[in-house]
Coordinates of all heavy atoms in Angstrom, one line a residue:
M1 N 111.3 144.9 102.2 CA 111.8 143.7 102.8 C 111.0 142.5 102.3 O 109.8 142.6 102.2 CB 111.7 143.8 104.3 CG 112.2 142.6 105.0 SD 112.0 142.7 107.0 CE 113.1 144.1 107.1
T2 N 111.7 141.4 102.0 CA 111.0 140.2 101.5 C 111.1 139.1 102.5 O 112.1 138.9 103.1 CB 111.8 139.7 100.2 OG1 111.8 140.8 99.2 CG2 111.1 138.5 99.6
F3 N 109.9 138.5 102.7 CA 109.9 137.4 103.7 C 109.7 136.1 103.0 O 109.2 136.1 101.9 CB 108.7 137.6 104.6 CG 108.9 138.8 105.5 CD1 108.5 140.1 105.2 CD2 109.5 138.5 106.8 CE1 108.8 141.1 106.1 CE2 109.7 139.7 107.7 CZ 109.3 140.9 107.3
P4 N 110.2 135.0 103.6 CA 109.9 133.8 102.9 C 108.3 133.4 102.9 O 107.7 134.0 103.6 CB 110.7 132.8 103.8 CG 110.7 133.4 105.1 CD 110.8 134.9 104.8
P5 N 108.0 132.5 102.0 CA 106.7 132.2 102.0 C 106.2 131.6 103.3 O 106.8 131.0 104.0 CB 106.5 131.2 100.8 CG 107.8 130.7 100.7 CD 108.9 131.7 101.1
T6 N 104.9 131.9 103.6 CA 104.3 131.3 104.8 C 104.0 129.8 104.6 O 104.0 129.3 103.4 CB 102.9 132.0 105.1 OG1 102.1 131.5 104.1 CG2 103.0 133.4 105.2
P7 N 103.7 129.1 105.6 CA 103.3 127.7 105.4 C 102.1 127.7 104.5 O 101.9 126.7 103.9 CB 103.0 127.2 106.9 CG 103.9 128.1 107.8 CD 103.9 129.4 107.0
H8 N 101.2 128.7 104.6 CA 100.1 128.8 103.8 C 100.5 128.6 102.3 O 99.8 128.0 101.5 CB 99.4 130.2 103.8 CG 98.9 130.6 105.2 ND1 99.8 130.9 106.2 CD2 97.7 131.0 105.6 CE1 99.0 131.3 107.2 NE2 97.8 131.4 106.9
H9 N 101.6 129.2 102.0 CA 102.1 129.2 100.6 C 102.6 127.9 100.1 O 102.6 127.6 98.9 CB 103.1 130.3 100.4 CG 102.6 131.6 100.6 ND1 103.4 132.6 101.1 CD2 101.4 132.2 100.5 CE1 102.7 133.7 101.3 NE2 101.5 133.5 100.8
I10 N 103.2 127.0 101.0 CA 103.8 125.9 100.5 C 103.1 124.5 100.8 O 103.5 123.5 100.3 CB 105.3 125.8 101.1 CG1 105.3 125.8 102.7 CG2 106.2 127.0 100.6 CD1 106.5 125.7 103.3
W11 N 102.1 124.6 101.6 CA 101.4 123.4 101.9 C 100.6 122.9 100.7 O 99.8 123.7 100.2 CB 100.6 123.5 103.1 CG 101.3 123.6 104.4 CD1 102.6 123.4 104.5 CD2 100.8 124.0 105.6 NE1 102.9 123.5 105.9 CE2 101.9 123.9 106.6 CE3 99.5 124.4 106.1 CZ2 101.7 124.2 107.9 CZ3 99.4 124.7 107.5 CH2 100.5 124.7 108.3
P12 N 100.7 121.7 100.4 CA 99.9 121.2 99.3 C 98.4 121.1 99.7 O 98.1 120.2 100.5 CB 100.5 119.8 98.9 CG 101.2 119.4 100.2 CD 101.6 120.7 100.9
S13 N 97.6 121.9 99.3 CA 96.2 121.9 99.7 C 95.4 122.5 98.6 O 95.7 123.6 98.0 CB 96.0 122.8 100.9 OG 94.8 123.0 101.2
R14 N 94.3 121.8 98.3 CA 93.4 122.3 97.2 C 92.7 123.7 97.6 O 92.7 124.6 96.9 CB 92.4 121.3 96.9 CG 93.0 120.0 96.3 CD 91.9 119.1 96.0 NE 91.1 119.5 94.9 CZ 91.3 119.2 93.6 NH1 92.3 118.4 93.4 NH2 90.6 119.6 92.7
W15 N 92.4 123.8 98.9 CA 91.7 125.0 99.3 C 92.6 126.2 99.2 O 92.1 127.3 98.9 CB 90.9 124.9 100.6 CG 91.8 124.5 101.8 CD1 92.0 123.3 102.4 CD2 92.5 125.5 102.6 NE1 92.8 123.4 103.5 CE2 93.1 124.7 103.7 CE3 92.6 126.9 102.6 CZ2 93.9 125.4 104.7 CZ3 93.4 127.4 103.6 CH2 94.0 126.7 104.6
F16 N 93.9 126.0 99.6 CA 94.7 127.1 99.6 C 95.1 127.6 98.2 O 95.5 128.8 98.1 CB 96.1 126.8 100.3 CG 96.8 128.1 100.6 CD1 96.3 129.0 101.5 CD2 97.9 128.4 99.8 CE1 96.9 130.3 101.6 CE2 98.5 129.6 100.0 CZ 98.0 130.6 100.9
D17 N 94.8 126.9 97.2 CA 95.0 127.4 95.8 C 94.2 128.7 95.6 O 94.5 129.5 94.7 CB 94.6 126.4 94.8 CG 95.5 125.2 94.8 OD1 96.6 125.3 95.4 OD2 95.1 124.1 94.2
R18 N 93.1 128.9 96.4 CA 92.2 130.1 96.1 C 92.4 131.0 97.2 O 91.5 131.9 97.4 CB 90.8 129.6 95.9 CG 90.6 128.7 94.6 CD 89.3 128.4 94.4 NE 88.8 127.3 95.3 CZ 87.7 127.4 96.2 NH1 86.9 128.4 96.0 NH2 87.4 126.5 97.0
A19 N 93.3 130.9 98.2 CA 93.5 131.8 99.3 C 93.8 133.2 98.9 O 94.7 133.5 98.0 CB 94.6 131.2 100.2
A20 N 93.0 134.1 99.5 CA 93.3 135.6 99.2 C 94.7 136.0 99.8 O 95.1 137.0 99.4 CB 92.2 136.4 99.9
C21 N 95.3 135.3 100.7 CA 96.6 135.7 101.3 C 97.7 135.1 100.5 O 98.8 135.4 100.9 CB 96.7 135.3 102.7 SG 96.5 133.4 103.0
A22 N 97.5 134.4 99.5 CA 98.6 133.8 98.7 C 99.7 134.7 98.3 O 100.9 134.4 98.2 CB 98.0 132.9 97.5
S23 N 99.3 136.0 98.0 CA 100.2 136.9 97.5 C 100.6 138.0 98.5 O 101.3 139.0 98.1 CB 99.6 137.6 96.2 OG 98.5 138.3 96.5
Q24 N 100.2 137.7 99.7 CA 100.5 138.7 100.8 C 101.7 138.4 101.5 O 102.2 137.2 101.6 CB 99.3 138.8 101.8 CG 98.0 139.1 101.3 CD 97.9 140.5 100.8 OE1 98.5 141.4 101.4 NE2 97.3 140.8 99.7
P25 N 102.4 139.4 102.1 CA 103.6 139.0 102.9 C 103.4 138.2 104.1 O 102.3 138.4 104.7 CB 104.1 140.4 103.2 CG 103.0 141.4 103.1 CD 102.1 140.8 102.1
R26 N 104.3 137.3 104.4 CA 104.1 136.5 105.5 C 103.9 137.2 106.9 O 103.1 136.8 107.7 CB 105.5 135.7 105.7 CG 105.5 134.7 106.9 CD 106.8 134.1 107.0 NE 106.9 132.9 107.9 CZ 106.8 133.0 109.2 NH1 106.8 134.2 109.8 NH2 106.7 131.9 110.0
D27 N 104.7 138.3 107.1 CA 104.5 139.0 108.5 C 103.2 139.6 108.6 O 102.8 140.1 109.7 CB 105.6 139.9 108.6 CG 105.6 141.1 107.7 OD1 105.1 141.0 106.5 OD2 106.1 142.2 108.0
L28 N 102.4 139.8 107.6 CA 101.0 140.3 107.7 C 100.2 139.4 108.6 O 99.3 139.8 109.4 CB 100.4 140.5 106.4 CG 99.1 141.3 106.3 CD1 99.2 142.7 106.9 CD2 98.5 141.4 104.9
F29 N 100.4 138.0 108.4 CA 99.7 137.0 109.1 C 100.4 136.4 110.3 O 99.8 135.9 111.2 CB 99.3 135.9 108.2 CG 98.3 136.4 107.1 CD1 98.7 137.1 106.0 CD2 96.9 136.2 107.3 CE1 97.8 137.6 105.1 CE2 96.0 136.7 106.4 CZ 96.5 137.4 105.3
F30 N 101.7 136.7 110.3 CA 102.6 136.2 111.5 C 103.4 137.4 111.9 O 104.7 137.3 111.7 CB 103.4 135.0 111.0 CG 102.5 133.8 110.8 CD1 102.2 133.5 109.4 CD2 102.1 133.0 111.7 CE1 101.3 132.5 109.0 CE2 101.3 131.9 111.4 CZ 101.0 131.6 110.0
P31 N 102.8 138.4 112.5 CA 103.7 139.6 112.9 C 104.8 139.2 114.0 O 104.5 138.3 114.8 CB 102.7 140.5 113.5 CG 101.5 139.7 113.9 CD 101.5 138.5 112.9
Q32 N 105.9 139.9 113.9 CA 107.1 139.5 114.7 C 107.1 140.4 115.9 O 108.1 140.2 116.8 CB 108.3 139.5 113.9 CG 108.3 138.6 112.7 CD 108.1 137.2 113.1 OE1 109.0 136.7 114.0 NE2 107.1 136.4 112.7
S33 N 106.3 141.4 116.1 CA 106.3 142.2 117.3 C 104.9 142.7 117.7 O 104.0 142.6 116.8 CB 107.2 143.4 117.1 OG 106.5 144.3 116.3
R34 N 104.7 143.0 119.0 CA 103.4 143.4 119.3 C 102.9 144.7 118.6 O 101.8 144.9 118.2 CB 103.4 143.7 120.8 CG 103.7 142.5 121.7 CD 102.8 141.3 121.5 NE 101.7 141.5 122.3 CZ 100.6 140.6 122.3 NH1 100.6 139.5 121.6 NH2 99.6 140.8 123.2
T35 N 104.0 145.6 118.4 CA 103.7 146.9 117.6 C 103.2 146.5 116.2 O 102.2 147.0 115.7 CB 104.9 147.7 117.6 OG1 105.3 148.1 118.9 CG2 104.7 149.0 116.9
H36 N 103.9 145.7 115.5 CA 103.6 145.3 114.2 C 102.2 144.7 114.2 O 101.4 144.8 113.3 CB 104.6 144.5 113.6 CG 104.4 144.1 112.2 ND1 104.6 142.9 111.6 CD2 103.8 144.8 111.1 CE1 104.3 142.8 110.3 NE2 103.7 144.1 110.1
E37 N 102.0 143.8 115.2 CA 100.7 143.0 115.2 C 99.5 144.0 115.3 O 98.5 143.8 114.7 CB 100.8 142.1 116.5 CG 99.5 141.2 116.6 CD 99.6 140.3 117.8 OE1 100.4 140.6 118.8 OE2 98.9 139.3 117.8
R38 N 99.6 145.1 116.2 CA 98.5 146.0 116.2 C 98.2 146.6 114.9 O 97.1 146.9 114.6 CB 98.9 147.1 117.3 CG 98.7 146.7 118.7 CD 98.8 147.9 119.7 NE 100.1 148.3 119.8 CZ 101.1 147.9 120.7 NH1 100.8 146.8 121.4 NH2 102.2 148.3 120.6
R39 N 99.2 146.9 114.1 CA 99.0 147.5 112.8 C 98.5 146.4 111.8 O 97.7 146.7 110.9 CB 100.2 148.1 112.3 CG 100.6 149.4 113.1 CD 101.7 150.1 112.4 NE 102.8 149.1 112.1 CZ 104.1 149.3 112.3 NH1 104.5 150.4 112.8 NH2 104.9 148.3 112.0
S40 N 99.1 145.3 111.8 CA 99.0 144.3 110.7 C 97.7 143.5 110.9 O 97.1 143.1 109.9 CB 100.1 143.3 110.6 OG 100.3 142.5 111.7
T41 N 97.2 143.2 112.1 CA 96.1 142.3 112.3 C 94.8 142.9 111.6 O 94.1 142.1 110.9 CB 95.9 142.1 113.8 OG1 96.9 141.4 114.3 CG2 94.5 141.3 114.0
P42 N 94.5 144.2 111.7 CA 93.3 144.6 111.0 C 93.4 144.4 109.5 O 92.4 144.1 108.8 CB 93.1 146.1 111.4 CG 93.9 146.2 112.6 CD 95.0 145.2 112.5
V43 N 94.5 144.7 109.0 CA 94.8 144.4 107.5 C 94.6 143.0 107.2 O 93.9 142.6 106.1 CB 96.1 145.0 107.2 CG1 96.4 144.7 105.6 CG2 96.3 146.5 107.5
A44 N 95.3 142.1 107.9 CA 95.1 140.7 107.6 C 93.7 140.2 107.7 O 93.2 139.5 106.9 CB 96.0 139.9 108.6
L45 N 93.0 140.7 108.7 CA 91.6 140.2 108.9 C 90.7 140.8 107.8 O 89.7 140.1 107.3 CB 91.0 140.7 110.2 CG 91.6 140.0 111.4 CD1 91.1 140.7 112.8 CD2 91.5 138.6 111.5
D46 N 91.1 141.9 107.2 CA 90.4 142.4 106.0 C 90.6 141.5 104.8 O 89.6 141.2 104.0 CB 90.8 143.8 105.6 CG 90.2 144.9 106.5 OD1 89.2 144.6 107.2 OD2 90.6 146.1 106.4
V47 N 91.8 141.0 104.6 CA 92.1 140.1 103.5 C 91.3 138.8 103.8 O 90.6 138.3 102.8 CB 93.7 139.7 103.5 CG1 94.0 138.6 102.5 CG2 94.4 141.0 103.2
C48 N 91.3 138.3 105.0 CA 90.5 137.1 105.3 C 89.0 137.3 105.0 O 88.2 136.4 104.5 CB 90.6 136.7 106.7 SG 92.3 136.1 107.2
G49 N 88.5 138.5 105.2 CA 87.2 138.8 105.0 C 86.7 138.7 103.5 O 85.6 138.7 103.2
Q50 N 87.7 138.8 102.6 CA 87.4 138.6 101.2 C 87.8 137.3 100.7 O 87.9 137.2 99.4 CB 88.2 139.7 100.5 CG 87.8 141.2 100.9 CD 88.7 142.2 100.3 OE1 89.3 142.0 99.3 NE2 88.9 143.3 101.1
C51 N 88.2 136.4 101.5 CA 88.7 135.1 101.1 C 87.7 134.1 100.8 O 86.8 133.8 101.7 CB 89.7 134.5 102.2 SG 90.5 133.0 101.7
P52 N 87.7 133.5 99.6 CA 86.7 132.5 99.3 C 86.8 131.2 100.1 O 86.0 130.3 100.0 CB 86.8 132.3 97.8 CG 88.3 132.6 97.5 CD 88.6 133.7 98.6
V53 N 88.0 130.9 100.7 CA 88.2 129.6 101.4 C 88.3 129.8 102.9 O 88.9 129.0 103.6 CB 89.4 128.9 100.9 CG1 89.2 128.5 99.4 CG2 90.7 129.8 101.0
R54 N 87.8 130.8 103.4 CA 87.8 131.2 104.9 C 87.4 130.1 105.7 O 88.0 129.7 106.6 CB 87.0 132.5 105.2 CG 87.2 132.9 106.5 CD 86.4 134.2 106.7 NE 86.3 134.6 108.1 CZ 85.7 135.7 108.6 NH1 85.4 136.6 107.7 NH2 85.7 135.9 109.8
D55 N 86.3 129.5 105.4 CA 85.7 128.4 106.3 C 86.6 127.2 106.3 O 86.9 126.6 107.3 CB 84.3 127.9 105.7 CG 83.2 129.0 106.0 OD1 83.5 130.0 106.7 OD2 82.1 128.9 105.4
A56 N 87.2 126.8 105.2 CA 88.1 125.7 105.1 C 89.4 126.0 105.9 O 90.0 125.2 106.6 CB 88.5 125.3 103.7
C57 N 89.8 127.2 105.8 CA 91.1 127.7 106.5 C 90.7 127.6 108.0 O 91.6 127.1 108.8 CB 91.4 129.1 106.1 SG 92.9 129.7 106.9
L58 N 89.7 128.1 108.5 CA 89.3 128.1 110.0 C 89.2 126.7 110.4 O 89.7 126.3 111.5 CB 88.1 128.9 110.2 CG 87.6 129.0 111.7 CD1 88.8 129.6 112.5 CD2 86.4 129.8 111.7
S59 N 88.5 125.8 109.6 CA 88.4 124.5 110.0 C 89.8 123.8 110.2 O 90.1 123.0 111.1 CB 87.6 123.7 109.0 OG 86.3 124.2 109.0
H60 N 90.6 124.1 109.2 CA 92.0 123.6 109.4 C 92.8 124.1 110.7 O 93.4 123.3 111.4 CB 92.9 124.0 108.1 CG 94.3 123.9 108.4 ND1 95.0 122.8 108.2 CD2 95.2 124.9 108.8 CE1 96.3 123.0 108.5 NE2 96.5 124.3 108.9
A61 N 92.6 125.4 110.9 CA 93.3 126.0 112.1 C 92.7 125.4 113.4 O 93.6 125.3 114.3 CB 93.1 127.5 112.0
L62 N 91.5 125.2 113.4 CA 91.0 124.6 114.6 C 91.3 123.1 114.8 O 91.6 122.7 116.0 CB 89.4 124.7 114.7 CG 88.9 126.3 114.8 CD1 87.4 126.3 114.6 CD2 89.4 126.9 116.0
A63 N 91.3 122.4 113.7 CA 91.6 121.0 113.9 C 93.1 120.6 114.0 O 93.5 119.7 114.7 CB 91.1 120.3 112.5
T64 N 94.0 121.5 113.6 CA 95.4 121.2 113.6 C 96.0 121.0 115.0 O 96.5 120.0 115.2 CB 96.2 122.2 112.8 OG1 95.7 122.1 111.4 CG2 97.7 121.9 112.8
P65 N 95.9 122.0 116.0 CA 95.5 123.3 115.9 C 96.6 124.2 115.5 O 97.8 123.9 115.9 CB 94.9 123.6 117.2 CG 95.8 122.7 118.2 CD 96.1 121.5 117.4
E66 N 96.3 125.3 114.9 CA 97.3 126.4 114.6 C 97.3 127.3 115.8 O 96.3 128.0 116.1 CB 96.8 127.1 113.3 CG 96.9 126.3 112.1 CD 98.4 125.8 111.7 OE1 99.4 126.3 112.3 OE2 98.5 125.0 110.7
R67 N 98.4 127.4 116.4 CA 98.5 128.2 117.7 C 99.0 129.6 117.6 O 99.0 130.5 118.5 CB 99.4 127.5 118.7 CG 99.0 126.1 119.1 CD 99.9 125.5 120.0 NE 99.5 124.2 120.4 CZ 99.6 123.6 121.5 NH1 100.4 124.3 122.5 NH2 99.2 122.4 121.9
F68 N 99.4 130.0 116.3 CA 100.0 131.3 116.1 C 99.4 131.8 114.7 O 99.1 131.0 113.9 CB 101.5 131.2 116.0 CG 102.2 130.7 117.2 CD1 102.6 129.4 117.3 CD2 102.5 131.6 118.3 CE1 103.2 128.9 118.4 CE2 103.0 131.1 119.4 CZ 103.5 129.8 119.5
G69 N 99.3 133.1 114.7 CA 99.0 133.8 113.4 C 97.4 133.9 113.1 O 96.6 133.4 113.9
I70 N 97.2 134.5 112.1 CA 95.9 134.7 111.5 C 95.5 133.6 110.7 O 96.2 133.3 109.7 CB 95.7 136.1 110.8 CG1 96.2 137.2 111.6 CG2 94.3 136.3 110.3 CD1 95.3 137.6 112.7
W71 N 94.4 132.9 110.9 CA 93.8 131.8 110.1 C 92.3 132.0 110.1 O 91.7 132.1 111.1 CB 94.2 130.5 110.8 CG 95.7 130.1 110.8 CD1 96.6 130.5 111.6 CD2 96.3 129.3 109.7 NE1 97.8 129.9 111.2 CE2 97.6 129.2 110.1 CE3 95.9 128.7 108.6 CZ2 98.6 128.5 109.4 CZ3 96.8 128.0 107.8 CH2 98.1 127.9 108.3
G72 N 91.8 131.8 108.9 CA 90.3 131.8 108.8 C 89.6 133.1 109.4 O 88.5 132.9 109.8
G73 N 90.3 134.2 109.3 CA 89.6 135.4 109.8 C 89.6 135.5 111.3 O 88.9 136.2 111.9
T74 N 90.5 134.7 112.0 CA 90.6 134.8 113.4 C 92.1 135.0 113.9 O 93.0 134.5 113.3 CB 90.1 133.5 114.1 OG1 91.0 132.4 113.7 CG2 88.6 133.2 113.8
T75 N 92.2 135.6 115.0 CA 93.6 135.6 115.7 C 93.8 134.5 116.5 O 92.8 133.7 116.8 CB 93.6 136.9 116.6 OG1 92.7 136.7 117.7 CG2 93.3 138.2 115.9
A76 N 95.0 134.2 116.9 CA 95.3 133.1 117.8 C 94.5 133.2 119.2 O 94.0 132.2 119.6 CB 96.8 133.0 118.1
A77 N 94.4 134.4 119.6 CA 93.6 134.6 120.9 C 92.2 134.2 120.7 O 91.6 133.6 121.6 CB 93.9 136.1 121.3
Q78 N 91.6 134.5 119.6 CA 90.2 134.2 119.3 C 90.0 132.7 119.2 O 89.0 132.1 119.4 CB 89.7 134.9 118.0 CG 89.5 136.4 118.2 CD 89.2 137.0 117.0 OE1 89.8 136.8 115.9 NE2 88.3 138.0 117.0
R79 N 91.2 132.0 118.8 CA 91.1 130.5 118.8 C 91.4 129.9 120.1 O 91.5 128.7 120.2 CB 92.0 130.0 117.6 CG 91.5 130.5 116.2 CD 92.3 129.8 115.1 NE 93.7 129.8 115.3 CZ 94.5 130.8 114.8 NH1 93.9 131.8 114.2 NH2 95.8 130.8 115.0
G80 N 91.8 130.7 121.1 CA 92.0 130.2 122.4 C 93.5 130.0 122.8 O 93.8 129.4 123.8
W81 N 94.4 130.7 122.1 CA 95.8 130.6 122.4 C 96.4 131.8 122.9 O 96.1 132.9 122.4 CB 96.6 130.0 121.2 CG 96.0 128.8 120.6 CD1 95.3 128.7 119.4 CD2 96.1 127.5 121.2 NE1 94.9 127.4 119.3 CE2 95.4 126.6 120.3 CE3 96.8 127.0 122.3 CZ2 95.2 125.3 120.5 CZ3 96.6 125.7 122.5 CH2 95.9 124.7 121.6
D82 N 97.3 131.8 123.9 CA 98.0 132.9 124.3 C 99.2 133.3 123.4 O 99.4 132.5 122.5 CB 98.4 132.9 125.9 CG 99.5 131.9 126.2 OD1 100.2 131.4 125.1 OD2 99.7 131.6 127.3
K83 N 99.9 134.4 123.7 CA 100.9 134.7 122.8 C 102.2 133.8 122.8 O 103.0 133.9 121.9 CB 101.5 136.1 123.3 CG 102.2 136.3 124.6 CD 102.6 137.6 124.8 CE 103.2 137.8 126.3 NZ 103.6 139.1 126.5
Y84 N 102.2 132.8 123.8 CA 103.3 131.8 123.7 C 102.8 130.5 123.1 O 103.4 129.5 123.1 CB 103.7 131.5 125.2 CG 104.3 132.7 125.8 CD1 103.5 133.3 126.9 CD2 105.5 133.3 125.4 CE1 104.0 134.5 127.4 CE2 106.0 134.5 126.0 CZ 105.2 135.1 127.1 OH 105.7 136.2 127.7
G85 N 101.5 130.5 122.5 CA 101.0 129.3 122.0 C 100.4 128.3 123.0 O 100.2 127.1 122.7
R86 N 100.2 128.8 124.2 CA 99.6 127.9 125.2 C 98.1 128.2 125.3 O 97.6 129.3 124.9 CB 100.2 128.3 126.6 CG 101.7 128.1 126.7 CD 102.2 128.5 128.0 NE 101.8 129.9 128.3 CZ 102.5 130.7 129.1 NH1 103.5 130.3 129.8 NH2 102.1 132.0 129.4
P87 N 97.3 127.3 125.8 CA 95.8 127.4 126.0 C 95.6 128.7 126.9 O 96.3 128.8 127.9 CB 95.3 126.1 126.6 CG 96.4 125.2 126.2 CD 97.7 125.9 126.2
Q88 N 94.7 129.5 126.5 CA 94.3 130.7 127.4 C 93.6 130.2 128.7 O 92.9 129.2 128.6 CB 93.4 131.6 126.7 CG 94.1 132.4 125.5 CD 93.0 133.2 124.8 OE1 91.8 133.2 125.2 NE2 93.5 134.0 123.9
R89 N 94.0 130.8 129.8 CA 93.3 130.4 131.0 C 91.8 131.1 131.0 O 91.0 130.5 131.5 CB 94.1 131.1 132.2 CG 95.3 130.3 132.4 CD 96.0 130.7 133.7 NE 97.3 130.0 133.8 CZ 98.0 130.1 135.0 NH1 97.7 130.9 135.9 NH2 99.1 129.4 135.0
N90 N 91.8 132.2 130.4 CA 90.5 132.8 130.4 C 90.1 133.1 128.9 O 90.5 134.1 128.3 CB 90.5 134.3 131.1 CG 89.2 135.0 131.0 OD1 88.2 134.4 130.6 ND2 89.2 136.3 131.4
P91 N 89.4 132.2 128.3 CA 89.1 132.2 126.9 C 88.0 133.2 126.6 O 87.2 132.9 125.6 CB 88.9 130.8 126.6 CG 88.2 130.2 127.9 CD 88.9 131.0 129.0
Y92 N 87.9 134.3 127.3 CA 86.9 135.3 126.9 C 87.0 135.8 125.4 O 88.1 136.1 125.0 CB 86.8 136.4 127.8 CG 85.8 137.5 127.5 CD1 84.6 137.3 127.7 CD2 86.2 138.6 126.8 CE1 83.5 138.2 127.4 CE2 85.3 139.6 126.4 CZ 83.9 139.4 126.7 OH 83.1 140.4 126.3
G93 N 86.0 135.7 124.6 CA 86.1 136.1 123.3 C 86.5 135.0 122.3 O 86.4 135.1 121.1
R94 N 86.8 133.8 122.9 CA 87.2 132.7 122.1 C 86.1 132.2 121.3 O 84.8 132.2 121.7 CB 87.7 131.6 123.0 CG 88.2 130.4 122.3 CD 88.7 129.4 123.3 NE 89.1 128.2 122.7 CZ 89.6 127.2 123.3 NH1 89.8 127.2 124.6 NH2 90.0 126.1 122.7
I95 N 86.3 131.8 120.1 CA 85.3 131.3 119.2 C 85.0 129.9 119.7 O 85.8 129.2 120.3 CB 85.7 131.3 117.8 CG1 86.9 130.4 117.5 CG2 86.0 132.7 117.2 CD1 87.3 130.2 116.1
P96 N 83.7 129.4 119.5 CA 83.3 128.1 120.1 C 84.1 127.0 119.4 O 84.6 127.1 118.3 CB 81.8 128.0 119.7 CG 81.4 129.3 119.1 CD 82.6 130.1 118.9
Ligands
SF4_101 S1 91.0 132.8 105.5 FE1 92.7 134.3 105.7 S2 94.5 133.1 106.4 FE2 92.9 131.7 105.6 S3 93.5 131.3 103.5 FE3 92.0 133.0 103.5 S4 93.1 134.9 103.6 FE4 94.6 133.2 104.1

C-alpha cells in the first residue's frame, strides 16, 4: 500500500532535507488505528533515534505545536496531547 507523502516530506525546510524519515511511509509516523500505533510507534522511534535532525524536529513540534504523530523522537502523548489533539489533563510522562 502506498501512502501520500507526509507533511514532513513536502514542507520546505532545510533541516528536513536530512531527515531519517524522508523515505519512510507516512503511516509509520501517523498511524491510523490504535492497533497499528502499537506496532508502528517503536519502529518510528527507532528511526528518530538515528535521525541527525532530531533536535530541530522536536523544536519544531513543540513550537508549532504538532498535536499528532511522531516528531523528534516523541509521541503526541509525550508532547502533552491526547488522542484527539487536545491538551492532556494529566500530563504524566510529558516532556518539559
Ligand atoms: S526526528 Fe523523527 S520525525 Fe523528526 S525528522 Fe527525524 S526521523 Fe523524522
Side-chain angles (χ1 to χ4, degrees):
M1 181 180 295
T2 302
F3 290 88
T6 68
H8 300 62
H9 297 146
I10 59 177
W11 288 348
S13 170
R14 297 180 68 91
W15 61 263
F16 190 72
D17 291 346
R18 295 182 290 129
C21 59
S23 61
Q24 299 293 324
R26 177 188 194 283
D27 67 331
L28 189 60
F29 292 82
F30 297 93
Q32 299 300 305
S33 72
R34 301 298 275 178
T35 301
H36 184 219
E37 183 178 24
R38 282 191 289 275
R39 290 186 314 227
S40 65
T41 295
V43 178
L45 294 177
D46 281 349
V47 174
C48 292
Q50 302 170 28
C51 182
V53 293
R54 181 176 169 174
D55 290 346
C57 180
L58 180 57
S59 294
H60 160 83
L62 294 173
T64 299
E66 296 291 353
R67 298 180 180 211
F68 302 97
I70 305 288
W71 292 85
T74 63
T75 64
Q78 289 172 321
R79 296 192 307 276
W81 305 105
D82 71 13
K83 65 182 178 180
Y84 302 109
R86 300 177 302 205
Q88 292 176 353
R89 291 186 180 184
N90 178 11
Y92 176 76
R94 181 178 177 177
I95 60 172

